[in-house]
Every structure is written in C-alpha cells, then in structure tokens.
Amino acid sequence: MRDLHEITLTVNGREHTLAVEPRRLLVDVLREDLGLPGTHIGCEHGVCGTCTVLLDGASIRSCSTLAVQVDGRSVRTVESLASGPDLHPLQEEFWDKQGLQCGYCTPGMLMRAVEILEQEPDPTPEQVREEIASNLCRCTGYQYIVEAVLAAAPRLRGGQQWDPTAGTAATVPTEAKA
Amino acid sequence: MTIIERRDVPPARTHGPRRWVGQSIRRVEDPKFLRGRGGYIADLVRPGMLHAAVLRSPYPHARIVSIDTTAAEAMPGVYAVVTGAQAAELTDPLPDFGPDPAKHTWRCLAVDKVRYVGEGVVVVVADDRYLAEDALALIEVEYDPLPAVVDPVRALDAGAPLVHEALGANLAYDRTFDFGDVDADFAEADLVVRDRLRWHRSGGQPLETVGAIADFDPSTGQLTAHTNSLSFTSYLFMAAATLRIPANKLDIRQVPAGGSFGSKLFVTKPLVIAGMCSRIVGRPVVFLEDRVDNISNCDHHGSDRVYDVELAVMRDGTLRGLRIDTIDDYGAYIQFGVGHHGNALAQVTGPYTIGSVRYRVRAALTNKNQQGAYRGFGSEVNNWMLEQMVDKAARELRMDPVEIRRRNFIQPAQFPYFIPTGNAYDSGDYEAVLERALELGEYDRWRAEQARAREEGRYLGIGLITAQERSVFSATEFWFWFDEPGAPVTSMPESVTLNVDATGGITATLYSCAFWGNSPETMVAQLVAEEFDCEPHDVSIVYHGSQGGLPATGPGGSRTTVMLAGAVEGASAKIKAKARRAASELLEVDPDDLEWTEGGFQVRGVPDRRKSLGDIAIALHLFKHTFPEDIESGLEESKVFDHPWTTMPSADRSDLGVFYPFMGHACHVPVVEVDVATGEVRILAYAAVHDCGTLVNPRSLAGHIVGGTAQGIGTALYEEFVYDDHGQLVTSSFLDYTIPSAMEVPELRIDHVETPSPYTPHGIKGGGEGGRMMAPAALNVAVNDALAPLGVRVTELPMTPDRLRAAIRAAEGAPPG
C-alpha cells in the first residue's frame, strides 16, 4: 500500500485537497494531478529553472520540491498569467521580442520574470540579465528575453492592473473566447 | 586528377520584390507556448497509458553474467520487465548507416555486454514512472567488468580492449582522400604550418529530453506513435523494420520538441523501446528519457576529434593546400557512419581559394555514448580547425589576420565556385561581410584598446574569424565514403500541401517533424502570404502523420527553409494555375488575359473585372458543374520538392560531387579578456555578421544566431562530457555539464549581408546553425590573441580555467600541475 498524505494547496487561486505520497514531487502534482502541464521538467536537479513556479510569491523549483512541503500554501503557475484571450504583458513582450524559440523554458522564465518585476519594477538591463541567470534557456542566448522583460516593466508599472487570480476560477477558457 | 565536367549548374533565377518575405513578424507558433500549452510529449496522456523506465549500466565495459528480474516482475503495478536479450528476440538492430553494421550491432538494449556507462540493460513498464523506477531498483544484474578504452588514439593501438569483438579492432573506418594536387602544393610551399588540435565532446542538451508514446493495436497490427524525434521521415521504414512492423502500419505523429540542436534527429531508441513494450502489454506506453538518460544514453553526443593538420602557405600569405589527419571518437556505436566528415568536406577549405586537400579520417570506437548530431554536424569542428590554422599561419608570417583572409577570399565573380572536394558554393560576398563585421565590431578601436590594456598588464584578445555555413544537404554525404554499394544521387525531399477552403482560407500541411524551436510554421505562413497576398497569421498550418504522408525529411543541415520554400512555391503555382482557369471561366476571358494581383486574378488593365481567391474558391468548392469536365471540385495541390542541386561523386571519389551547395558565410569578432591568474575568460564584446542569402524573418534568424553563439560559447569555454580514465561519465547532470547562463552570454551586435542564392526560391540559404558554427573558432582565436604575448597557444576545447592555467604555467616554464 502506498503511504498517502492529505494536503491542501491553492493553485492559481483555486484550492485543492489531495492525497499524495510523501515522495511525490510538486511538479508532478501540478502537471498530472491538477492538469496544469504548463510547468515543465528540465534537468530534474534544480539547476535549470524550467520548472519554476511561485510559492507564496517567491520562485521555487517544483522538480525538487515535495508536494507535502506546500501543504497549506499558495502556488502560481504560468497558467495564471493570461486572462482569457488577453496575454499578460510579459507574455506579449516575450512574443513581440521573440524571447522564446522552442518554448520549453518559457513558463519557468515567465514566472521568474514576474517575480523579478515584482521585486524591482524598474530594473536595469544588467539587473535583468543577472536575475534571469537563475534559469537556463538553450535556444535564445537570453538577449531577447532581457529585452522582453525590460519592455514589460513600464507596462506593469504603468497602471495596467493585472489580477494574479484571473484566468482561473470563473473565467471562460481562452480557446472559447478567442 | 580526374576532370569533372561542371555541366550541372542549374539555371539562375531572378528574384522579384517581396511583401512578406523579409518581415520580422511575430511567430505564429508562439501563443500556445507562452500559455504553457505547447503540447510537448510529456503533456500528452493517452487513456490507459503506462510508463517505461530503463535500467542503465553503471560500467563502461562489462559482460552481463546474469540478470534476475524476479522481484521486479512480482512488484504490484509492474506490467512487463524486458531484458536486452529478450528485446533482441522481439526487435531487430537499430538503424545504422555505418560501415559494416553487423560488426558493431546496435540494439535498443544491451545484449551480452555493456559498452558504456548509461547503456540500457532492462526496461520496466509500470503504472507510473515512480513505480517503474522502484522496480528497476529490484533488478539484480551481475556484471563481469572488462577494461575500458576511453582515449580515441589509444583505442587504435594494438592490444587495446575491443569494444566490438566482431570488428577485430576499434577502427570502424579509415580512408584517405586526395582532392587536387596536394603534393605539388606542399612541394612548392614557402612554409608549412603544423598543429595538433583537440576538440572534446559536447552535445545539444535541449531542456526537454527525447520521448515516444507508442500505441500498438493488435487488431490491425498498427503502431501509432507520438514522438518529438525522428525528423528523417523519409527513413521511417528503417524504424518500422527494427520493430518488425510493415512500414505502412507505422504512423508517427509529430509533437513539438522542446529544443533539439540535432539531438532529436532520428532518435529511434525511445520509439523502439516504447513500441516493443506497447506490443507486449497491449496498452499505450510512454518512454520519456530522464535527464541522466539524455546525457548518458542519448546517442547524440557531438564530435570528439584529434587533428594533425598541415597548411601549405606562401610568403605573401597565399594558402595553397591542406593535409588533414583526424581521428574521431565515435563512442560505442556509429549510427550515421562518418557522415559528419561529409559535412566537413562540404566546406573544408572555408571561404578561401585553397587548391588541394588530403583528408584522412579514422573513426575510433570507445566505451562512450555514441556520437550523433549537434548543430553543425561536424562542420563546425572543421571551421574551428581551419581558422586555428589560418590564424597560426598569419602569426608565423607576421601578417595581419584580416589581411591574410582578404588575400585568400573567393571573389564574387568566381561563383558558382567548386572547391577541391567537388562541392559547389553557390554565391557569396565575403569581403562585404568582413568589412561590415570590422565596422560593427569596432575592430580598430578594440585593437587600440588591446594595446592600452597590455601596458596595464591585462590580456585582451580579438577573435576575428571568417567561415562557412553550408546548407541543404544531399544524403550522398552518407554513402560516398564507400566504393560499394554505390547508390544514385540522393535527394532528401520536402513536401507541402496547400488547401484553399470555400471561404478562401488557406491551410498548409507539412509532412515532417519540423518544429524544434525553429519557426517552420511562421516561415511557411510568410511564404504562403507572399504567394497569395494574405496575412501570415491567417494561414493555418497542420502536420500530417507519417502514414500516407508525402515524402519528407525534416530539419537537419539547415535545410528546412529552403526546402519548404520550394514546396510552397511549387504548390502555390499549381493552385494559381487551377484558380486562373477557374477565374477565366467565371470572367469569360482567356486565361492569358488574367494577372494575379492583390489576392486574386483580374483582367489585365481592368481592375474592376477581377475574382478574389475567395470568389474562385467558393465556385470551385460548390459549383463544379459551372466548369469544364476536367476541372474537379475543390482547390488543393501538393508539391514534393527535391534537392535543387546535387550531383554524383566520381567513381574514384577524387571528386565528391555537389552535395551541400547553398553556402552561407559569417564573420564573428568577439573580444575577450583572460585573467591569467585564474584562467577565466570574460567576453567584453561580440559582433557577428552573417550572410545566408535572402532573409525570411530577420528576428527569427537573429534568435538563431544569438542562441547558436551561446551554444558555441558553451562549446568553447564550458561544456564537456567528461569520461574519466576508467570510462566513468563524471558529468551526468547540469551541475557538472555546465550550460551557459545569461551571465556567460554577452549582448551580441548582429548584422546581415544578403547575397541571394541564384538557385533557390527567393534566394534563401539555410541559417539555423551559424552561431555555433562560428563561435568556438572565434573564441579560440580570441583567447590565443590575448595570450600571444605570453607565448601561449591553446589548441584544445573547451578552454576551461584549468586548461588555460596549465597552458600559461607551461609557457612560464613552471612544472605543470
């Protein structure tokens, strides 16, 4: 018999109660148990940052975090960013500046960028470069990711209010609207 | 020397004005990825899907004495446990283009003995990955360790441990080719520059690993597989043969790949493992490599070469001839033969008028993961080798590195230019690229800065290189190594179907596994928009599975854009031909009186007498009986586009024919500072100017240049799959295999020169690999330029701090260590 533990966690504003093995990784809970495949698995060692999500607002590596460790806490994933048909300013700028190629590191990179701009709403290019060095990208060489984050910063400062819980609970699925 | 008549040059094309080709539109692929809805292989879940995990060898070389799977089989949640010996009963060897595959047989799991750390031994199928890995821990394998061979030079020594006893040696291939009059060029040379160079192995290491979901239907015998690999769609029959399934019962469905850089090119192992397991358990099975699988058992490590090179030069700097002797460490198997050296021979003499080449290649087998593909496929190594030699020649002649290159460039009037190996360069303007790079890279300012820094005891170096980026391969490069069996000239086709629906909406169907992070959908959308004057984002792109699909090859060798452009052009011409006839019926005019303009056909000079594509399409879809008998309903056409310019090699292989003719070019100018106390290399500035013909989407190409350069920085400074002297892989995670982060990659300055190819649609040449094909050479030259005052010349990549410190210590006369 598997040893199961009941945990309650809030993901993108919605509360879930689950029974999980103590060894079960947060990333597997998000992807497989909650049907949120946007968080990807890269190196499985906590090095590359592909699996980055925000836990109570701070970035963590969900590939090396146990689900039982987030009992009672709040997780934000890439699925929280777009609001219906509308992309988040960071997503729009990543698109516009081509801050992605294969798209695999993108969700982790976006969540890290959310955190960076929450901590420093008006960063310098050097700051952005240093801060995103937490996450590896094998395609882009980072240059256009830095440009995208810098381009999103004034839009996020400039009163474009963004509700971190939008795009989840009561909203119509993107595809239905678009 | 055999004289080959150059009678096969295709007619030159003219290229008209363009509306969409050349625009940096937002990529059509991106919204799903930005939302985290990419639909990668790990995101796909089939009903009843089980999970496979593979037990890897901990030994570099050992006999498998016994395998006890009893406990694993008894574990709840486990459906199947398959050893290598059992797998060999169920499947045939994996596809292998190499010399004499029967003497180095390659299978999905090891049989009898393991040949490298990480080689698969047993596969387990279970309800989920956690349980599958639990079961792996219950398997007991008794090994009888054997001595391992790690160094490719020692592997060729008599008495070295044999990787494959059936081969009787570790030398899988050895041949020397002479192109042009090598002996005369060396006899007449004023100076022969010599060096031994060492390129260690690195690899693509995309952030997503390789995987396949196989679903075998016993009632039909059909195997349906989703995979992020297998781009060689044309060769799927080989994978079918391995699985013992008729080729028309294997359907490969394309899945977006989270990066490849070559490492997802024709990866059959996960497909075969998943397919074999699905057939055993009668349910869908996914095998998705974990990171350790992908590093240690991926079949796609990059080149691993030792070079002894001689370059014959004249006092005035004229480069006359090359003698190249290379040993390439292929690891334990050799799936693509020495095709990597075909890539090298496509551009072996670079942008220079070097008149002769002797090329000896020896393929060594060792106890390592095998080589496969990594962005450049071996030509990037050749670029690095040649530029080190040219740089050394300039130093020995006390010539300016710019001047020696300028003096030897092939001139624009000389194209099409045939290099000594027989391959053609279609077009180029190397002087223009160099001039722009010197300006963009502020070459003169940095030379002055370098002189100032030296006075302060700082070591700055400027790494000017000028090198080639071949594009659009013909598969002759995989077989011209052998006299027998010969084969006719080999095309690698690519196909597109265009469908115009009743509303005039256009859907393009692609037939290969095209998306690896490149932009096939955007590019096809732009090309279709160019033809039909529509918005690129209004074009729908779908992928056809392999079953019943048209011939296709997929990405590789920077071919996708040129080949898909040809297919789009051909399919568009057919659509327009039918639409013209239909419009002529609707407008009651002669077809020749119509001209295509602004998305429709109109009577020449009469703008109000026209039919839009939508008008024509609805008529063709719904009102067929309006038209003559031979016009069928609907508006859909396909084009299979074959290689536009490839010719046969000569029988004696003194001329390899045309096999990689669309020749890009680039000049990279990095500036580095070396901390001689620590061996750390910092990149202070980096300029790159590329010419890959007509640009389709400049921003997309710029992304490839920056990203490829970042990978080249990794190759030059950080990344190496290190096997210790016993054959143990000591870099099995991203903690040890260090991929550059944003702090190691500088801000690049990029520009382009556009020399359209006379022989391709719109004048496009491939450009996807260029960054990595240039950066290792450029950084090595830069580091050597920095350390020249110390008398240090680095000849080994990656230039890690320990290697640089050792070289500096040696030059200082201190004992190494």
Side-chain angles (χ1 to χ4, degrees):
Chain A
M1 281 297 289
R2 291 186 173 191
D3 171 25
L4 298 179
H5 291 244
E6 189 175 288
I7 59 168
T8 298
L9 73 164
T10 301
V11 179
N12 301 334
R14 180 188 283 269
E15 190 175 284
H16 303 270
T17 299
L18 303 159
V20 297
E21 278 191 282
R23 66 175 176 174
R24 191 156 181 81
L25 297 168
L26 174 58
V27 68
D28 290 335
V29 166
L30 293 172
R31 292 178 52 83
E32 294 172 14
D33 303 346
L34 300 181
L36 297 170
T39 304
H40 301 150
I41 300 171
C43 71
E44 302 165 59
H45 284 69
V47 177
C48 73
T50 299
C51 62
T52 299
V53 297
L54 302 184
L55 180 64
D56 296 333
S59 61
I60 57 156
R61 313 293 208 206
S62 63
C63 81
S64 41
T65 301
L66 300 171
V68 291
Q69 290 176 279
V70 304
D71 187 16
R73 301 178 71 178
S74 178
V75 175
R76 266 160 68 191
T77 72
V78 71
E79 283 90 350
S80 74
L81 293 183
S83 175
D86 301 324
L87 293 176
H88 184 275
L90 270 164
Q91 291 171 310
E92 286 190 344
E93 296 299 340
F94 267 63
W95 192 12
D96 198 52
K97 302 290 184 293
Q98 213 192 105
L100 71 159
Q101 287 178 31
C102 82
Y104 200 75
C105 77
T106 308
M109 199 64 90
L110 284 167
M111 296 316 290
R112 175 71 180 125
V114 166
E115 180 186 38
I116 291 168
L117 293 182
E118 283 176 358
Q119 290 175 347
E120 174 50 72
D122 189 11
T124 64
E126 293 74 22
Q127 282 175 316
V128 172
R129 193 168 267 282
E130 183 165 352
E131 295 290 334
I132 65 159
S134 56
N135 288 43
L136 295 178
C137 170
R138 193 58 160 160
C139 295
T140 64
Y142 308 103
Q143 191 156 327
Y144 304 121
I145 293 176
V146 173
E147 284 185 15
V149 175
L150 288 168
R155 294 181 58 187
L156 288 169
R157 283 200 308 276
Q160 281 200 15
Q161 288 305 314
W162 164 65
D163 176 1
T165 62
T168 57
T171 51
V172 180
T174 305
E175 282 66 24
K177 273 191 186 176
Chain B
M1 177 184 167
T2 315
I3 302 299
I4 303 275
E5 273 189 61
R6 305 295 183 190
R7 58 178 182 271
D8 301 278
V9 179
R13 308 165 58 121
T14 53
H15 306 298
R18 291 175 288 270
R19 178 182 298 184
W20 287 110
V21 169
Q23 301 297 316
S24 290
I25 67 162
R26 287 176 163 188
R27 298 199 318 164
V28 305
E29 293 92 343
D30 287 353
K32 63 180 178 289
F33 298 121
L34 289 161
R35 289 170 183 269
R37 303 191 56 147
Y40 301 100
I41 188 77
D43 303 347
L44 303 185
V45 179
R46 315 291 295 168
M49 187 172 84
L50 302 173
H51 294 254
V54 168
L55 184 69
R56 294 179 296 259
S57 167
Y59 290 100
H61 198 192
R63 292 209 178 283
I64 299 169
V65 177
S66 64
I67 301 177
D68 183 350
T69 59
T70 319
E73 286 171 52
M75 203 187 101
V78 170
Y79 289 73
V81 181
V82 186
T83 65
Q86 291 166 328
E89 298 289 317
L90 299 168
T91 61
D92 283 338
L94 293 164
D96 180 333
F97 309 179
D100 228 348
K103 290 183 177 169
H104 36 76
T105 305
W106 177 40
R107 292 186 173 276
C108 66
L109 296 170
V111 184
D112 298 331
K113 76 172 188 172
V114 291
R115 294 183 172 85
Y116 58 92
V117 170
E119 185 165 18
V121 178
V122 183
V123 59
V124 167
V125 182
D127 275 318
D128 64 35
R129 179 83 189 204
Y130 289 81
L131 293 174
E133 293 193 19
D134 287 345
L136 293 184
L138 299 177
I139 296 169
E140 289 185 23
V141 183
E142 187 186 342
Y143 293 98
D144 177 14
L146 299 165
V149 58
V150 180
D151 181 82
V153 179
R154 285 189 200 153
L156 303 185
D157 289 347
L162 292 178
V163 180
H164 293 271
E165 284 79 3
L167 188 61
N170 294 319
L171 183 64
Y173 185 84
D174 180 7
R175 184 161 173 172
T176 302
F177 297 82
D178 264 26
F179 307 105
D181 197 344
V182 186
D183 291 334
D185 280 332
F186 275 82
E188 292 166 15
D190 292 328
L191 177 71
V192 175
V193 181
R194 296 184 171 82
D195 219 338
R196 169 167 272 221
L197 304 169
R198 182 74 174 95
W199 172 288
H200 291 282
R201 59 173 59 202
S202 53
Q205 285 301 306
L207 291 178
E208 183 211 41
T209 60
V210 183
I213 301 170
D215 189 356
F216 182 75
D217 182 345
S219 54
T220 61
Q222 160 119 350
L223 183 74
T224 304
H226 290 77
T227 177
N228 54 11
S229 172
L230 277 164
S231 83
F232 276 21
T233 321
S234 307
Y235 288 160
L236 283 183
F237 65 91
M238 297 168 79
T242 297
L243 281 160
R244 300 178 188 163
I245 289 172
N248 66 347
K249 298 278 189 183
L250 174 64
D251 190 19
I252 305 283
R253 307 267 176 90
Q254 296 84 345
V255 177
S260 165
F261 322 110
S263 78
K264 287 181 180 139
L265 183 90
F266 202 57
V267 187
T268 38
K269 204 159 53 184
L271 170 76
V272 167
I273 287 173
M276 172 183 75
C277 291
S278 177
R279 199 152 48 167
I280 292 169
V281 300
R283 285 171 59 167
V285 173
V286 59
F287 175 59
L288 176 59
E289 297 172 337
D290 67 15
R291 180 54 54 186
V292 181
D293 288 326
N294 188 252
I295 290 179
S296 68
N297 191 23
C298 65
D299 307 324
H300 280 280
H301 282 189
S303 295
D304 188 352
R305 296 185 191 170
V306 182
Y307 278 102
D308 285 301
V309 193
E310 296 174 306
L311 175 61
V313 298
M314 308 306 288
R315 290 252 168 266
D316 67 358
T318 304
L319 308 174
R320 290 284 298 271
L322 269 168
R323 285 197 292 236
I324 299 162
D325 185 346
T326 184
I327 298 172
D328 204 338
D329 182 345
Y330 272 86
Y333 303 95
I334 183 165
Q335 59 184 326
F336 298 134
V338 291
H340 311 81
H341 293 269
N343 255 252
L345 289 169
Q347 55 182 52
V348 64
T349 45
Y352 313 117
T353 54
I354 296 172
S356 64
V357 181
R358 177 166 298 154
Y359 198 92
R360 182 183 191 193
V361 52
R362 280 174 284 176
L365 298 182
T366 63
N367 294 112
K368 297 177 187 169
N369 186 87
Q370 75 171 312
Q371 266 195 43
Y374 184 23
R375 211 170 194 171
F377 206 72
S379 64
E380 79 284 21
V381 195
N382 189 86
N383 280 357
W384 163 78
M385 173 275 292
L386 181 60
E387 289 302 295
Q388 298 323 299
M389 297 308 291
V390 173
D391 188 62
K392 191 173 189 188
R395 288 188 189 285
E396 294 193 9
L397 292 168
R398 300 185 184 282
M399 272 185 84
D400 181 82
V402 177
E403 180 54 29
I404 195 170
R405 287 173 169 83
R406 212 170 244 155
R407 182 173 293 254
N408 288 282
F409 276 158
I410 299 161
Q411 297 301 311
Q414 292 177 277
F415 294 100
Y417 185 86
F418 293 85
I419 67 167
T421 62
N423 192 37
Y425 294 178
D426 64 323
S427 62
D429 187 346
Y430 306 146
E431 183 73 36
V433 173
L434 175 65
E435 282 303 321
R436 182 69 191 113
L438 294 175
E439 186 185 13
L440 188 70
E442 301 179 280
Y443 184 77
D444 293 335
R445 183 177 79 73
W446 279 112
R447 280 284 175 223
E449 187 64 31
Q450 179 184 40
R452 258 196 305 282
R454 275 186 191 164
E455 287 170 17
E456 297 165 10
R458 293 165 54 213
Y459 295 88
L460 264 59
I462 301 168
L464 180 113
I465 63 110
T466 53
Q468 305 300 79
E469 178 180 10
R470 82 289 172 277
S471 71
V472 192
F473 71 91
S474 152
T476 50
E477 67 167 337
F478 290 105
W479 59 255
F480 58 44
W481 305 99
F482 316 115
D483 296 323
E484 297 292 338
V489 68
T490 310
S491 178
M492 299 294 275
E494 205 64 56
S495 303
V496 166
T497 298
L498 295 180
N499 176 288
V500 185
D501 67 25
T503 69
I506 302 175
T507 299
T509 302
L510 312 185
Y511 292 89
S512 55
C513 306
F515 183 85
W516 287 353
N518 50 341
S519 317
E521 297 163 40
T522 303
M523 178 256 292
V524 166
Q526 285 184 257
L527 292 161
V528 169
E530 187 71 57
E531 295 282 353
F532 293 102
D533 308 315
C534 57
E535 288 285 323
H537 285 266
D538 290 342
V539 178
S540 279
I541 310 285
V542 297
Y543 293 92
H544 196 289
S546 66
Q547 194 171 38
L550 294 175
T553 304
S558 293
R559 67 188 299 285
T560 315
T561 305
V562 169
M563 296 302 288
L564 283 173
V568 168
E569 183 186 62
S572 299
K574 292 182 185 178
I575 292 269
K576 282 182 179 171
K578 184 172 181 180
R580 177 188 289 272
R581 267 197 77 196
S584 82
E585 296 290 337
L586 296 171
L587 291 164
E588 297 179 332
V589 294
D590 190 276
D592 293 338
D593 291 339
L594 294 172
E595 62 181 347
W596 177 269
T597 177
E598 295 303 319
F601 278 107
Q602 72 181 36
V603 179
R604 275 179 218 284
V606 191
D608 59 345
R609 289 197 68 202
R610 60 176 282 117
K611 291 289 177 188
S612 71
L613 187 63
D615 298 334
I616 298 166
I618 194 164
L620 281 170
H621 275 273
L622 300 182
F623 310 119
K624 180 254 167 325
H625 294 296
T626 312
F627 297 107
E629 194 59 33
D630 65 317
I631 294 183
E632 295 175 356
S633 284
L635 189 50
E636 177 177 296
E637 299 287 351
S638 297
K639 173 66 180 176
V640 182
F641 185 67
D642 282 293
H643 197 294
W645 187 13
T646 177
T647 67
M648 279 295 282
S650 67
D652 66 357
R653 301 298 190 258
S654 65
D655 185 298
L656 301 175
V658 177
F659 60 99
Y660 236 137
F662 307 122
M663 194 55 63
H665 177 77
C667 178
H668 277 214
V669 190
V671 181
V672 304
E673 178 165 4
V674 181
D675 182 333
V676 295
T678 65
E680 186 198 2
V681 177
R682 270 201 314 138
I683 302 171
L684 306 181
Y686 203 118
V689 177
H690 283 241
D691 179 357
C692 55
T694 303
L695 302 179
V696 179
N697 185 319
R699 185 165 48 206
S700 166
L701 180 70
H704 286 295
I705 292 172
V706 180
T709 299
Q711 289 182 325
I713 290 168
T715 304
L717 298 174
Y718 308 111
E719 296 178 32
E720 183 179 348
F721 296 118
V722 178
Y723 289 85
D724 71 13
D725 291 345
H726 306 287
Q728 190 57 241
L729 177 64
V730 297
T731 51
S732 57
S733 81
F734 283 178
L735 289 167
D736 314 299
Y737 187 86
T738 43
I739 288 171
S741 81
M743 295 306 285
E744 284 78 48
V745 182
E747 182 97 4
L748 261 67
R749 291 186 185 185
I750 293 172
D751 203 357
H752 307 277
V753 169
E754 290 185 69
T755 312
S757 174
Y759 313 115
T760 66
H762 303 291
I764 301 164
K765 304 175 192 175
E769 297 165 276
R772 184 168 181 272
M773 290 172 73
M774 312 297 157
L779 288 163
N780 199 165
V781 169
V783 165
N784 284 342
D785 189 51
L787 297 178
L790 299 175
V792 172
R793 177 175 162 78
V794 182
T795 55
E796 190 169 2
L797 296 190
M799 298 177 287
T800 52
D802 56 323
R803 286 197 178 114
L804 286 191
R805 278 297 303 148
I808 292 164
R809 271 196 302 270
E812 286 167 346

